[in-house]
Amino acid sequence: MTADFSDNLFANLEEPWAEPLEDGAVVLRRFASASGPALLDAINRVTEQAPLRQMQTPGGHTMSAAMACCGPWGWVTDRQGYRYQQTDPLTGQTWPEMPDIFRDLARDAAARAGYPDFEPDACLINRYLPGARMGLHQDKDETDFSQPIVSVSLGSPIVFQFGGDRRSDRPQKVPLEHGDVVVWGGSSRLRYHGVLTLKSLAHPLTGACRYNLTFRKAR
Ligand code: MD3
Ligand code: FE
């Protein structure tokens, strides 16, 4: 067996490693890769109850990423604005429970980054198909910015843009791939950020599709 073959065969058994970015942000490379199949199953269960949908921005644009939520609070946007609410506007029902495998992963990652008491009450699921992107924005609809955000990338790779405190600050490009988990704490919490357009690169688990989970303490 060649070295290349065994590397590929056991790619999801790679040991995670930490890469500090700046200002309290740390990338836990491959931290979630061994949990990929179980996380995908949980995404499918949640989105049977709360379907993925492309929401409208307050300015009337349709977001290119499709979204769904789980946990007590869900993030939504429509012509009225951005907000967290306890019901899914599509179904009128409360959001699905946050799967234990989601909460455990978010808490483990946050603890690894120095936040042992992180208790997410909202998880946003973003699905990117080829051509989807997310422009530079800040996450500031939460009440307590001392709480970090934990993000989990699954499936196709993407280039993340890590900007500054102003929209005009030139962003740093950070490639994110399957299993990478980022904990955004400290002053990185309010940095502008976004992702470049997803290319059509198939991943064995998801096909040409990327999921991103973001865990937040909304209230
Ligand atoms: C840095 N999602 O859902 S994840 C979002 O790939 C969002 O779906 C992107 O931005 C995605 O709001 C980026 C990385 C991320 C998430 C939240 C952050 C980076 C962040 C909050 C503050 C600073
Ligand atoms: Fe964001």
Side-chain angles (χ1 to χ4, degrees), residues 13-188:
L13 300 180
E14 203 172 18
E15 277 299 316
W17 67 99
E19 282 177 19
L21 291 175
E22 319 163 27
D23 291 345
V26 57
V27 191
L28 303 172
R29 295 284 183 195
R30 316 298 186 267
F31 191 76
S33 47
S35 313
L39 292 168
L40 255 300
D41 284 351
I43 289 171
N44 290 334
R45 273 185 281 116
V46 167
T47 58
E48 277 167 24
Q49 307 301 312
L52 288 158
R53 83 296 303 263
Q54 288 176 268
M55 295 194 269
Q56 297 282 119
T57 66
H61 296 284
T62 301
M63 297 189 76
S64 59
M67 300 178 168
C69 301
C70 61
W73 294 93
W75 184 85
V76 299
T77 174
D78 59 20
R79 294 306 298 254
Q80 267 59 59
Y82 306 124
R83 64 193 175 274
Y84 283 93
Q85 61 178 52
Q86 292 185 285
T87 54
D88 179 347
L90 204 60
T91 64
Q93 305 296 303
T94 56
W95 298 103
E97 274 187 42
M98 193 182 300
D100 287 342
I101 185 174
F102 279 20
R103 181 181 292 94
D104 292 349
L105 173 66
R107 295 184 59 178
D108 277 6
R112 196 68 66 99
Y115 297 92
D117 302 318
F118 184 55
E119 286 289 354
D121 60 9
C123 172
L124 176 62
I125 302 170
N126 296 154
R127 184 195 63 195
Y128 297 80
L129 297 177
R133 59 187 289 275
M134 192 176 287
L136 284 178
H137 66 277
Q138 292 174 294
D139 287 21
K140 53 181 185 186
D141 301 317
E142 302 75 25
T143 53
D144 181 359
F145 301 134
S146 73
Q147 293 294 316
I149 289 183
V150 174
S151 74
V152 179
S153 292
L154 296 169
S156 301
I158 208 163
V159 178
F160 176 76
Q161 292 192 292
F162 186 36
D165 294 328
R166 290 169 304 184
R167 190 187 293 280
S168 58
D169 292 337
R170 177 200 293 273
Q172 178 186 339
K173 289 182 165 65
V174 182
L176 291 178
E177 55 183 276
H178 178 72
D180 290 350
V181 177
V182 193
V183 181
W184 309 93
S187 59
S188 75

